[in-house]
């Protein structure tokens, strides 16, 4: 693979990001502009940035572990919209209502103070987080900012028209609705393109589950249509044999899979998608861009090396390399530093518990405990059958990383796993928000 | 006896107070290892769905045995649990089980079909289910709590005893039952709410 142009753009992006990192951590310019301290700190306090999968879990488990510690959760979006199960909204089995929740129970049941605003800067020396609502002091800060799209990695994508025409839908919400509506509006006989980004990206099996469910939709409602999956990777990145078996059994003439076909260029006016393997004229295209840690991770100065796209953190406590008392969890973490855990909601949930415990215990003068994590990702391949990958993880004293202790994939797809998939979502939503 | 136990409790509490003042967070080994399970089984093991079992408040002895059986691959229908349980030592599995067993039990909220449930009650009476599992299905020690367990899970596990996927002398009595009888039993025991 010689993708000179793509790499060139990527490195330029990193350099620019690197520069802004230095600017922020050195002087934190935004901090000076904003109003003063809000909610002055009285006792011990943990601030959690990001009320998604990792952040909500961390906030809740911190309060469960020590109700005397004050916990403030900073989140931009008043609604919690679940990425898991959002592929079923795109496929038509579920609606947005099924995946949209409030965080009210976190406030009511656990006394978490939730501030709906955006964080803009960090002063790790003064231990303050600046937000649009004011500056907030912390003893411990847990950051779970999720991911950002690198629209610049694909030529023609970083403009409003293209972003609207080719919704990524890897953050659940308006993008999910947009993609669903485009599929519903498409004429029978149309061509759908789904572009899988290069690893690492959030939810490795996510694009393939979506491809299966779109194929399922086309098969039922859009006779003569096709979905072409163009993958930047050299093979299906998760549960490959299981997905391929389902595709061969159910979607033989509907789903075409092309590996080593990174998208290099898109054209919003014609719908033409250019890949390393050639051009495709699409009627609907779901272009999932390359991902980086959430933009806030850059803005807050958490990147450790100039080219880093994810945040390095200690595998035992998830404390960031850059700043003491600042922990990073979820999709934003750097696998080279924490170990080979997937960027999944389940892992973000497990990491939230690890970081919350480490933060509470060290705040109370206790030693942190070794991390213990689980991951499971179910993927639906049609209306009622699922496949899955499941693993448990522990800390390895030798490599000083989180390593897999056991795990594997389902031997086959089944309706019962489909029921488990649905129950998993109910269970983990309860654990995050209930 | 009752009095004596109360006396010990007070002594134990008195001794524990100063320790608790230092250790603001007391996380047992079972809790450390068991917390991630809540990603499927919900916080404290009160799984809200139908097919993932409730484990908060399950009997410790039974749960420890089941976890070891999972790890040994003895319960083949439990695919997720068999993969996951292998990642823990026997001592870990016992500690995790103690942790969840220490939670108060909370009954299932699954919707129950009253007709099937009534049929299930009859079958249960005729087959002596209550003799081992208790009048409310609460179980004891090695006899699992089944009253208020989630309905889909109960149906699935009964099918496994029926087909021999899980071997159990005590549960061999379901081998001659039909699927609709098993479903009725599952509906009845799941619907126990007190
Ligand atoms: C289609 C799809 C399907 C998926 N399916 C599964 C699945 O089946 N199983 C699974 O385990 N995982 C799945 N995932 C992955 C899962 O959604 C993510 O791994 C998970 O959301 C990561 O949690 P997080 O806390 O790191 O980030 P998020 O959950 O994205 O949370 C980040 C939060 O931070 C907030 N935020 C960011 N910056 C700021 C700021 N500056 N100020 C205030 N707020 C801010 C954001 O608004 C957001 O709410 C799926 C993902 C997708 C896209």
């Amino acid at each position: 693979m010689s993708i000179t142009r793509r790499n060139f753009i990527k490195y330029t992006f990193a350099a620019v990001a690197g520069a802004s990192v230095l600017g922020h951590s050195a002087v934190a310019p935004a901090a000076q502009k904003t109003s003063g301290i809000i909610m002055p700190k009285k006792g011990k306090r943990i601030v959690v940035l990001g009320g998604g999968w990792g952040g909500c879990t961390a906030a809740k488990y911190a309060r469960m572990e020590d109700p005397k510690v004050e916990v403030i959760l900073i989140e931009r979006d008043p609604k919690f919209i679940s990425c898991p199960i959002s592929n079923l909204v795109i496929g038509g089995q579920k609606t947005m209502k099924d995946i949209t929740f409030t965080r009210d129970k976190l406030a009511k049941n656990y006394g978490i103070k939730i501030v709906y605003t955006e964080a803009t800067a960090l002063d790790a020396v003064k231990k303050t987080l600046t937000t649009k609502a004011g500056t907030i002091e912390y003893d411990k800060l847990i950051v779970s900012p999720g991911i950002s799209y690198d629209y610049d990695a694909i030529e023609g994508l970083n403009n409003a028209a293209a972003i609207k025409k080719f919704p990524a839908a890897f953050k659940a919400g308006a993008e999910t609705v947009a993609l669903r509506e485009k599929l519903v509006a498409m004429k029978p006989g149309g061509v759908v393109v789904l572009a899988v980004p290069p690893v690492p990206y959030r939810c490795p099996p996510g694009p393939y589950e979506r491809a299966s469910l779109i194929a399922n939709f086309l098969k039922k409602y859009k006779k003569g249509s096709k979905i072409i999956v163009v993958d930047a990777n050299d093979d299906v990145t998760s549960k490959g044999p299981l997905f391929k078996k389902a595709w061969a059994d159910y979607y033989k003439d509907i789903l075409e899979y092309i590996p080593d076909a990174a998208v290099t260029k898109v054209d919003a006016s014609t719908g033409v998608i250019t890949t390393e393997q050639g051009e495709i004229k699409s009627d609907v295209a779901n272009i999932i861009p390359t991902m980086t840690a959430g933009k806030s991770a850059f803005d807050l100065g958490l990147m450790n090396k100039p080219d880093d796209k994810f945040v390095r953190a200690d595998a035992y406590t998830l404390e960031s390399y850059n700043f003491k008392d600042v922990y990073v969890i979820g999709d934003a973490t750097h696998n080279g530093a924490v170990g080979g855990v997937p960027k999944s909601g389940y892992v973000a949930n497990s990491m939230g518990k690890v970081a919350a415990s480490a933060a509470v215990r060290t705040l109370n003068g206790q030693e942190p405990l070794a991390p213990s994590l689980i991951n499971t990702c179910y993927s639906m391949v049609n209306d009622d059958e699922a496949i899955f990958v499941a693993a448990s993880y522990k800390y390895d004293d030798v490599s000083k990383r989180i390593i897999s202790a056991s795990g594997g994939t389902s031997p086959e797809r089944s309706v019962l796993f489909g029921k488990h998939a649905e129950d998993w979502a109910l269970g983990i939503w309860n654990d995050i928000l209930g | 006896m009752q009095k004596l136990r109360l006396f010990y409790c007070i002594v134990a509490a008195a001794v524990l107070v100063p320790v608790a003042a230092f250790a603001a967070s007391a996380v047992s080994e079972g809790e450390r290892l068991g917390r991630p399970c809540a990603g499927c089984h919900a916080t404290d093991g009160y799984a809200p769905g139908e097919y993932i079992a409730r484990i908060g408040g399950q009997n410790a002895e039974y749960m420890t045995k089941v976890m070891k059986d999972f790890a040994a691959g003895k319960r083949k229908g439990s695919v997720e649990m068999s993969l996951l349980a292998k990642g823990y030592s026997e001592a870990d599995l016992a500690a995790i089980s103690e942790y969840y067993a220490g939670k108060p039990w909370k009954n299932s909220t699954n919707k129950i079909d009253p007709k099937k449930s009534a049929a299930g009650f009859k079958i249960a009476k005729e087959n002596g289910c209550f003799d081992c599992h208790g009048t409310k299905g609460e179980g004891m020690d090695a006899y699992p709590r089944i009253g208020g367990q989630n309905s889909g899970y109960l149906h699935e596990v009964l099918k496994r005893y029926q087909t021999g996927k899980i071997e159990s002398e005590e549960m061999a009595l379901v081998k001659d039952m039909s699927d609709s009888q098993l479903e009725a039993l599952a509906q009845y025991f799941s619907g126990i709410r007190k």
Side-chain angles (χ1 to χ4, degrees):
Chain A
M1 282 226 271
S2 64
I3 344 144
T4 43
R5 186 180 166 76
R6 212 156 45 106
N7 281 346
F8 171 74
I9 296 173
K10 248 196 277 178
Y11 289 126
T12 318
F13 173 81
V16 173
S20 78
V21 167
L22 291 176
H24 276 291
S25 54
V27 284
Q32 290 151 3
K33 264 191 282 165
T34 335
S35 52
I37 304 282
I38 55 165
M39 309 166 83
K41 190 171 81 69
K42 297 199 181 81
K44 292 174 187 168
R45 175 187 282 178
I46 296 175
V47 173
V48 179
L49 167 56
W53 284 61
C56 287
T57 307
K60 169 170 163 177
Y61 274 76
R63 290 285 294 177
M64 281 169 63
E65 188 153 331
D66 186 355
K68 288 199 287 294
V69 174
E70 182 189 28
V71 174
I72 299 178
L73 178 63
I74 311 291
E75 164 62 46
R76 160 203 300 146
D77 187 351
K79 287 198 215 104
F80 179 105
I81 306 179
S82 175
C83 283
I85 311 297
S86 71
N87 280 338
L88 292 160
V89 175
I90 292 163
Q93 292 86 355
K94 300 270 179 196
T95 65
M96 286 304 284
K97 209 172 142 244
D98 297 320
I99 61 167
T100 304
F101 307 99
T102 70
R103 298 179 186 82
D104 294 352
K105 284 187 187 152
L106 294 177
K108 211 173 115 212
N109 298 346
Y110 302 94
I112 295 160
K113 297 173 184 161
I114 308 178
V115 183
Y116 287 108
T117 184
E118 194 169 295
T120 53
L122 165 70
D123 188 330
V125 178
K126 285 196 192 131
K127 295 182 122 178
T128 56
L129 181 71
T130 300
T131 75
K132 289 185 173 163
T135 296
I136 299 175
E137 303 160 294
Y138 67 82
D139 294 309
K140 300 277 182 179
L141 175 67
I142 300 175
V143 183
S144 194
I147 52 98
S148 284
Y149 304 132
D150 178 3
Y151 285 123
D152 283 324
I154 294 171
E155 192 185 332
L157 187 57
N158 200 359
N159 60 78
I163 290 169
K164 191 161 172 236
K165 174 136 178 117
F166 309 119
F170 254 61
K171 295 178 188 177
E175 297 174 18
T176 314
V177 176
L179 181 55
R180 170 69 188 161
E181 283 173 353
K182 284 180 198 295
L183 290 167
V184 170
M186 189 180 80
K187 287 205 184 72
V191 172
V192 179
V193 170
L194 186 153
V196 185
V199 288
Y201 60 88
R202 87 171 358 166
C203 194
Y208 310 106
E209 175 188 59
R210 178 176 296 173
S212 309
L213 293 172
I214 291 176
N216 181 58
F217 171 75
L218 299 179
K219 186 176 174 179
K220 281 202 272 185
Y221 302 107
K222 302 282 171 182
K223 292 275 167 315
S225 303
K226 264 190 88 159
I227 174 167
I228 304 173
V229 180
V230 290
D231 199 332
N233 305 288
D234 60 8
D235 201 350
V236 174
T237 62
S238 174
K239 298 178 267 198
L242 290 163
F243 275 118
K244 285 180 182 168
K245 177 106 195 331
W247 295 344
D249 291 349
Y250 295 131
Y251 312 123
K252 203 165 173 301
D253 302 316
I254 299 169
L255 190 153
E256 186 185 341
Y257 176 73
I258 310 176
D260 278 325
V263 174
T264 51
K265 188 176 161 188
V266 294
D267 186 334
S269 56
T270 60
V272 171
I273 309 299
T274 308
T275 78
E276 289 171 323
Q277 307 272 355
E279 290 183 357
I280 305 165
K281 168 94 178 66
S282 70
D283 294 286
V284 174
N286 172 209
I287 306 296
I288 308 169
T290 304
M291 292 177 206
T292 69
K295 187 177 162 293
S296 334
F298 294 86
D299 293 346
L300 267 50
L302 289 165
M303 291 303 157
N304 187 252
K305 298 203 166 96
D307 281 353
D308 277 2
K309 302 293 177 64
F310 294 92
V311 184
R312 291 177 202 261
D314 177 70
Y316 198 87
T317 58
L318 301 172
E319 192 168 22
S320 67
Y321 280 13
N322 282 11
F323 304 122
K324 193 173 173 300
D325 298 323
V326 178
Y327 300 75
V328 179
I329 58 177
D331 290 351
T333 53
H334 191 295
N335 286 122
V338 298
V341 286
K343 298 193 182 303
S344 74
Y346 205 128
V347 165
N349 168 261
S350 277
M351 283 183 167
K353 296 171 189 182
V354 170
S357 182
V360 167
R361 290 178 66 89
T362 50
L363 200 50
N364 289 326
Q366 295 172 289
E367 288 295 316
L369 300 172
S372 177
L373 294 82
I374 289 180
N375 176 59
T376 309
C377 282
Y378 289 98
S379 300
M380 301 300 295
V381 296
N382 58 24
D383 289 333
D384 42 35
E385 290 176 307
I387 57 180
F388 70 80
V389 57
S392 63
Y393 297 88
K394 63 179 182 190
Y395 185 77
D396 176 40
D397 285 317
V398 179
S399 65
K400 305 224 177 321
R401 295 291 181 276
I402 296 166
I403 60 160
S404 168
S406 72
T409 64
S410 56
E412 63 209 348
R413 58 174 185 261
S414 83
V415 173
L416 184 58
F417 299 149
K419 307 271 190 205
H420 291 178
E422 201 162 335
D423 273 13
W424 164 78
L426 296 176
I428 201 159
W429 289 333
N430 162 284
D431 197 37
I432 294 169
L433 299 167
Chain B
M1 175 65 198
Q2 194 62 34
K3 244 187 203 159
L4 200 66
R5 210 189 278 159
L6 193 68
F7 172 74
Y8 279 120
C9 282
I10 293 166
V11 173
V15 172
L16 276 173
V17 166
V19 179
F22 282 112
S25 95
V27 176
S28 68
E29 189 63 355
E31 179 165 10
R32 178 181 78 83
L33 295 163
R35 274 179 178 170
C37 313
C40 278
H41 287 278
T43 304
D44 295 341
Y46 303 138
E50 292 184 4
Y51 289 85
I52 295 184
R54 291 183 168 249
I55 57 173
Q58 183 52 276
N59 304 321
E61 188 180 331
Y62 165 73
M63 184 164 159
T64 305
K65 177 203 178 255
V66 171
M67 291 304 293
K68 286 180 188 163
D69 283 356
F70 285 144
K74 282 192 193 158
R75 295 168 94 89
K76 293 203 172 50
S78 298
V79 188
E80 293 92 327
M81 289 311 303
S82 306
L83 287 168
L84 291 167
K86 286 188 183 70
Y88 306 88
S89 70
E90 284 212 0
D92 292 345
L93 295 175
I96 298 171
S97 300
E98 288 289 343
Y99 166 67
Y100 277 105
K103 307 277 169 200
W105 177 265
K106 282 193 188 168
N107 285 320
S108 176
T109 53
N110 294 165
K111 258 216 190 96
I112 299 298
D113 178 331
K115 271 204 194 122
K116 286 179 183 163
S117 168
F121 177 60
K122 258 184 80 188
I123 304 166
K125 257 199 324 203
E126 284 160 14
N127 287 277
C129 310
F130 302 109
D131 299 347
C132 289
H133 290 284
T135 50
K136 301 274 179 211
E138 71 278 14
M140 198 208 272
D141 302 335
Y143 299 98
R145 173 185 278 275
I146 58 173
Q149 180 58 278
N150 293 328
S151 59
Y153 170 70
L154 284 179
H155 189 190
E156 290 302 318
V157 77
L158 284 170
K159 282 197 270 186
R160 291 180 197 148
Y161 289 117
Q162 182 209 41
T163 56
K165 263 195 186 169
I166 308 177
E167 283 172 36
S168 161
E169 267 177 41
E170 290 95 334
M171 287 303 295
L173 79 169
V174 299
K175 287 210 165 171
D176 299 325
M177 290 187 188
S178 68
D179 189 53
S180 62
Q181 283 176 307
L182 298 183
E183 193 193 358
L185 284 166
Q187 287 285 306
Y188 169 67
F189 280 104
S190 178
I192 291 177
R193 291 287 188 266
K194 270 184 269 172

